[in-house]
Amino acid sequence: MRCEHGQTVASLTDRLAEAMVDLEERDEELEALRDQLAESAEVDRAAIHASVEVATSSRLQLSRARRELAIATEQLKLTSAELESAREDKQMLLDAVASARDEADSVQEEQTRAYEEWAATNQRRAEEARAQLDEEGARFAALERELCSAKADARALRDQLA
């Protein structure tokens, strides 16, 4: 039994030595894994830090964009109000132009009617004056004939008296 026990101790010693080598190898592997994990954790921390910086920058940009959008919205409201005011002003001007045009048309119609009345009155007066002139001309011709006749009678009387 001694041999067996010796063999068993030797066998256990060998197995223990193998287990120790295996344990050292595993310890080295664990150490390598820890180093890899530490490196990976460092890379992850750097990536997280970069992501946080990007997110912070994005939040700031979003906040800035919201402020700019609010300002642009207010400017748009003001511009819309100015545009509406300009439309109202334009409509008032169009209404004023239409009113002035109507008034000008009315004045022109009145002036045209007054001119037509004046022209008709002048035409009538001219015709009356022509008729009167014709009457006066006929009277003058009759008087001239009477004068010529009287002159002829006077000559005849003079000749008789002479």
PDB file of all heavy atoms in Angstrom, residues 51 80 114 140:
ATOM      1  N   SER A  51     -19.904  61.146 -26.276  1.00  0.00           N
ATOM      2  CA  SER A  51     -21.351  61.151 -26.514  1.00  0.00           C
ATOM      3  C   SER A  51     -22.032  62.207 -25.657  1.00  0.00           C
ATOM      4  O   SER A  51     -22.946  62.898 -26.116  1.00  0.00           O
ATOM      5  CB  SER A  51     -21.964  59.790 -26.211  1.00  0.00           C
ATOM      6  OG  SER A  51     -21.493  58.817 -27.120  1.00  0.00           O
ATOM      7  N   SER A  80     -46.263  89.609 -41.090  1.00  0.00           N
ATOM      8  CA  SER A  80     -47.645  89.339 -41.500  1.00  0.00           C
ATOM      9  C   SER A  80     -48.534  90.531 -41.169  1.00  0.00           C
ATOM     10  O   SER A  80     -49.383  90.918 -41.975  1.00  0.00           O
ATOM     11  CB  SER A  80     -48.171  88.082 -40.809  1.00  0.00           C
ATOM     12  OG  SER A  80     -47.462  86.951 -41.239  1.00  0.00           O
ATOM     13  N   ALA A 114     -72.504 120.794 -69.725  1.00  0.00           N
ATOM     14  CA  ALA A 114     -72.471 122.257 -69.733  1.00  0.00           C
ATOM     15  C   ALA A 114     -71.956 122.768 -71.074  1.00  0.00           C
ATOM     16  O   ALA A 114     -72.497 123.744 -71.627  1.00  0.00           O
ATOM     17  CB  ALA A 114     -71.597 122.776 -68.589  1.00  0.00           C
ATOM     18  N   PHE A 140     -82.180 146.478 -95.324  1.00  0.00           N
ATOM     19  CA  PHE A 140     -81.184 147.386 -95.892  1.00  0.00           C
ATOM     20  C   PHE A 140     -81.324 147.409 -97.412  1.00  0.00           C
ATOM     21  O   PHE A 140     -81.274 148.478 -98.040  1.00  0.00           O
ATOM     22  CB  PHE A 140     -79.779 146.949 -95.461  1.00  0.00           C
ATOM     23  CG  PHE A 140     -78.699 147.822 -95.989  1.00  0.00           C
ATOM     24  CD1 PHE A 140     -78.481 149.086 -95.458  1.00  0.00           C
ATOM     25  CD2 PHE A 140     -77.900 147.408 -97.049  1.00  0.00           C
ATOM     26  CE1 PHE A 140     -77.475 149.894 -95.958  1.00  0.00           C
ATOM     27  CE2 PHE A 140     -76.908 148.219 -97.546  1.00  0.00           C
ATOM     28  CZ  PHE A 140     -76.669 149.457 -96.997  1.00  0.00           C
TER      29      PHE A 140
END
